[in-house]
């Protein structure tokens, strides 16, 4: 192991210098991937020199998500204390299902969950778990809602026409999950949004009433804190009123921007969060932990147990349910995703988390200011969002983003709202500073001059 740890340190040193020297890795065409890199597996193992060389080449050509040129996705950067925690989790290699096997790691996880419940104003009855990502957190929420609406379903399967509601710009996992939970994609109602991409409570009310009149059984409403493209926040208070009057489960998908709960300045964007039945947040997005670190909390933990617990004598042999986290999990063996968030939170404190969140909004404001004050740009997104959506001159966004990637200049993606396509630059990458934002725009401008787009 010691030798491999030494090798690991060498490789990571190379990676970090690569991130600085070549912040956007030169993309390998998919047609030549297997010729360019030594990926083949053989009957005989490689000699060390070849093994190391293969690893170095793979590292060189792997996209650098922690570089200052990475604006492509809803994550990026590297919080070193979080990375430290994740490396330790790999070395410790516990499975989170029982206290017997995970020991104090159970306390690490429970501390985070209880703290988040406290911050959002959930009562004593609340609890939560870590899921393998935001899509799976949403899945768990929809499943609990289904079982609450019709407790027979767990034994006999879905027999009635159950319907669920989510905005037209919400995450695609909602539709997939409707299929996974046996309700069906056709039973997903997409609710209209206003011109900022926020769900319209009136349309929600209208569609629920219409479905009930037709004999459907509404059971679940998904609201979003930070929509995937525009970064919009649904109005929880207005949506909650509709849910209360029809007795529907309200979930808040905060995978992208739920971490605003840590900021006094921005938590107003999720005002009314305590009215929800469940809430999920990805720490690997705004909080910058390594992938994946997704948390779901539930106002009443009874629903977690009712949907996810199962007796298993071969597994649960000691301690009570409260410390055997397998009883509230979607998985059996489960990776320790909690430690990396705990090491981050422990070392920088809640104030540090607040600063992280605030900085991303401040950088987005700087980007919007730049766009507003340069006539070649058109802005499509709004204040209080860390997704900055724009077009440059009349260059189609998909052409521009693809050319920037092909030429290893910048990693940035494009998105769409209504009929408009635009570049979506995200200020979530934890290593970004103001100069990186300005450099981003300068790179686009210089690039346009030097190529014929
Ligand atoms: C990223 C995201 C998800 C999915 O999270 P994964 O961890 O990628 O599965 C769900 N909802 C929203 C709003 C997101 O931005």
């Amino acid at each position: 192991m010691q030798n491999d740890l030494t090798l690991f340190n060498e490789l990571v040193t190379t990676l970090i210098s690569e991130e600085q020297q070549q912040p956007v890795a030169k993309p390998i065409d998919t047609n030549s991937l297997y010729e360019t890199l030594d990926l083949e597996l053989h009957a005989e193992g490689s000699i060390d020199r070849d093994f190391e060389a293969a690893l170095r080449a793979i590292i060189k050509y792997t996209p650098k998500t922690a570089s200052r040129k990475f604006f492509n996705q809803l994550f990026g950067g590297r919080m070193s204390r979080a990375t430290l925690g994740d490396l330790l989790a790999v070395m410790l290699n516990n499975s989170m299902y029982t206290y017997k096997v995970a020991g104090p790691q159970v306390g690490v996880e429970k501390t985070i969950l209880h703290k988040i419940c406290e911050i959002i104003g959930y009562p004593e009855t609340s609890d939560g778990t870590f899921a393998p990502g935001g899509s799976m957190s949403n899945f768990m929420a929809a499943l609990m809602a289904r079982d609450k609406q019709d407790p027979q379903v767990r034994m006999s399967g879905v027999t009635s026409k159950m319907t669920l509601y989510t905005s037209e710009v919400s995450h695609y996992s909602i539709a997939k999950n409707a299929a996974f939970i046996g309700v069906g994609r056709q039973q997903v109602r997409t609710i209209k949004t206003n011109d900022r991409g926020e769900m319209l409570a009136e349309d929600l009310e209208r569609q629920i009433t219409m479905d009930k009149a037709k004999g459907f059984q509404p059971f679940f409403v998904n609201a979003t804190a930070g929509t995937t493209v525009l970064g919009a926040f649904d109005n929880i208070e207005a949506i909650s009123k509709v849910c209360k009057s029809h007795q529907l489960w309200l979930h808040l998908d905060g995978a992208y921007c739920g971490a605003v709960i840590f900021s006094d300045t921005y938590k107003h964007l999720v005002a009314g969060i305590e009215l929800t039945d469940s809430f999920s947040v990805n720490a690997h997005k705004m909080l910058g932990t390594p992938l994946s670190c997704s948390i779901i909390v539930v106002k009443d933990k009874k629903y977690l147990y009712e949907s996810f617990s199962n007796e298993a004598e071969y597994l649960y042999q000691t301690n009570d349910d409260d410390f055997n986290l397998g009883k509230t999990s979607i998985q059996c063996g489960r990776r320790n995703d909690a430690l990396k968030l705990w090491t981050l939170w422990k070392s920088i404190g809640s104030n540090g988390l607040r600063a992280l969140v605030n900085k991303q909004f401040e950088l987005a404001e700087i980007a919007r200011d730049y766009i507003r004050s340069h006539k070649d740009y058109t802005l499509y997104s709004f204040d209080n969002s860390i997704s900055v959506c724009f077009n440059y001159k009349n260059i189609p966004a998909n052409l521009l983003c693809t050319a920037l990637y092909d030429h290893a200049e910048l990693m940035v993606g494009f998105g769409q709202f209504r009929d408009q396509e635009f570049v979506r630059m995200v200020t979530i990458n934890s290593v970004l500073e103001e100069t990186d934002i300005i450099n981003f725009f300068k790179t686009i401008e210089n690039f346009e001059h030097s190529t014929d787009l």
Side-chain angles (χ1 to χ4, degrees):
M1 189 71 224
Q2 280 306 333
N3 286 345
D4 277 338
L5 285 180
T6 307
L7 174 61
F8 177 77
N9 268 312
E10 283 170 24
L11 292 173
V12 168
T13 306
T14 315
L15 168 62
I16 289 171
S17 99
E18 209 40 50
E19 285 168 355
Q20 278 144 21
Q21 308 306 316
Q22 184 68 49
V24 182
K26 191 103 198 77
I28 303 176
D29 193 279
T30 50
N31 291 320
S32 54
L33 177 63
Y34 299 103
E35 291 131 50
T36 312
L37 296 175
D38 171 20
L39 303 176
E40 189 61 285
L41 301 167
H42 304 282
E44 296 298 327
S46 302
I47 59 165
D48 286 356
R49 192 158 33 89
D50 294 349
F51 173 70
E52 285 178 35
L55 271 180
R56 281 184 199 282
I58 290 171
I59 291 170
K60 183 175 172 59
Y61 288 104
T62 297
K64 302 301 182 295
T65 63
S67 90
R68 295 174 180 279
K69 303 271 182 183
F70 187 79
F71 300 83
N72 204 75
Q73 235 74 47
L74 307 182
F75 74 94
R78 184 178 296 118
M79 297 299 292
S80 85
R81 283 288 161 92
T83 304
L84 170 75
D86 212 14
L87 292 171
L88 279 174
V90 169
M91 292 300 289
L92 287 163
N93 199 32
N94 302 99
S95 182
M96 299 302 283
Y97 40 35
T98 62
Y99 187 76
K100 188 177 181 186
V101 171
Q105 301 299 330
V106 169
V108 163
E109 178 164 318
K110 280 164 68 85
T111 302
I112 292 172
L113 294 169
H114 292 163
K115 194 83 187 166
I116 288 177
C117 287
E118 187 189 302
I119 290 171
I120 65 173
Y122 271 3
E124 285 287 295
T125 51
S126 60
D127 203 351
T129 187
F130 281 64
S135 301
M136 283 298 109
S137 286
N138 290 343
F139 169 78
M140 294 184 79
L143 196 80
M144 286 186 282
R146 183 199 71 176
D147 294 350
K148 183 190 180 193
Q149 165 79 23
D150 182 357
Q152 297 304 315
V153 168
R154 274 172 297 154
M155 299 312 286
S156 38
V158 179
T159 49
S160 61
K161 286 226 176 237
M162 303 177 90
T163 47
L164 64 150
Y165 304 81
T166 192
S167 97
E168 58 190 352
V169 293
S170 62
H171 193 256
Y172 69 81
S173 58
I174 308 298
K176 281 172 60 172
N177 292 335
F180 297 170
I181 65 173
V183 162
R185 284 174 186 249
Q186 277 179 13
Q187 259 60 265
V188 180
R189 305 289 183 256
T190 49
I191 309 301
K192 291 201 184 88
T193 58
N194 62 17
D195 56 12
R196 301 168 63 97
E198 302 158 356
M199 194 201 296
L200 289 170
E202 307 87 80
D203 193 48
L204 176 65
E205 171 68 40
R206 188 183 65 81
Q207 294 210 41
I208 293 170
T209 309
M210 212 162 69
D211 278 333
K212 279 183 153 175
K214 288 184 192 157
F216 288 106
Q217 280 189 17
F219 73 102
F220 178 68
V221 175
N222 174 72
T224 310
T227 57
T228 312
V229 175
L230 287 180
F233 290 81
D234 287 336
N235 182 333
I236 302 167
E237 280 158 351
I239 294 167
S240 162
K241 281 205 189 92
V242 178
C243 293
K244 283 261 145 43
S245 79
H246 293 280
Q247 294 185 320
L248 307 184
W249 184 290
L250 174 56
H251 173 64
L252 181 62
D253 174 5
Y256 181 14
C257 296
V260 294
I261 60 168
F262 293 105
S263 163
D264 294 339
T265 319
Y266 295 99
K267 69 180 182 199
H268 69 91
L269 297 169
V270 290
I273 190 170
E274 72 284 356
L275 303 168
T276 61
D277 297 286
S278 54
F279 163 64
S280 54
V281 55
N282 277 357
H284 67 254
K285 288 186 173 171
M286 286 188 91
L287 300 183
T289 71
L291 283 145
S292 29
C293 189
S294 184
I295 293 151
I296 172 160
V297 288
V298 192
K299 186 176 266 167
D300 190 339
K301 65 179 167 198
K302 138 179 136 188
Y303 297 111
L304 266 179
Y305 284 97
E306 285 183 2
S307 291
F308 299 106
S309 74
N310 212 64
E311 288 308 320
E313 205 226 335
Y314 63 84
L315 183 62
Y316 304 114
Q317 297 175 342
T318 56
N319 308 104
D320 58 27
D321 281 358
D322 224 22
F323 281 79
N324 286 333
L325 300 179
K327 293 270 171 119
T328 50
S329 164
I330 194 177
Q331 296 154 272
C332 175
R334 182 162 62 90
R335 199 182 181 281
N336 179 0
D337 283 334
L339 187 59
K340 55 193 157 193
L341 177 53
W342 187 88
T343 50
L344 177 68
W345 198 337
K346 184 79 174 169
S347 61
I348 69 174
S350 301
N351 292 342
L353 299 184
R354 179 182 61 199
L356 251 176
V357 169
N358 288 351
K359 188 174 103 183
Q360 291 162 34
F361 281 99
E362 284 152 20
L363 291 177
E365 188 58 37
I366 289 167
R368 280 189 297 270
D369 281 346
Y370 187 97
I371 291 167
R372 288 195 197 99
S373 59
H374 288 74
K375 63 171 175 35
D376 288 334
Y377 293 87
T378 318
L379 182 66
Y380 297 97
S381 55
F382 304 95
D383 288 355
N384 287 334
S385 162
I386 61 167
S387 293
V388 181
C389 302
F390 68 90
N391 274 325
Y392 179 61
K393 297 191 172 167
N394 291 322
I395 308 172
N398 59 3
L399 274 187
L400 180 61
C401 295
T402 307
L404 287 164
Y405 163 66
D406 286 340
H407 290 80
E409 292 280 349
L410 282 174
M411 294 281 284
V412 64
F414 51 92
Q416 202 179 353
F417 181 63
R418 307 254 155 96
D419 301 334
Q420 193 64 51
E421 193 169 79
F422 38 64
V423 179
R424 183 197 62 174
M425 168 231 217
V426 189
T427 57
I428 204 163
N429 178 334
S430 60
V431 302
L432 297 180
E433 302 294 342
E434 178 166 355
T435 49
D436 301 308
I437 305 298
I438 306 303
N439 284 340
F440 170 88
F441 293 112
K442 297 291 175 212
T443 305
I444 291 178
E445 291 157 21
N446 293 336
F447 180 67
E448 195 248 346
H449 281 296
S450 64
T451 49
D452 36 46
L453 269 169

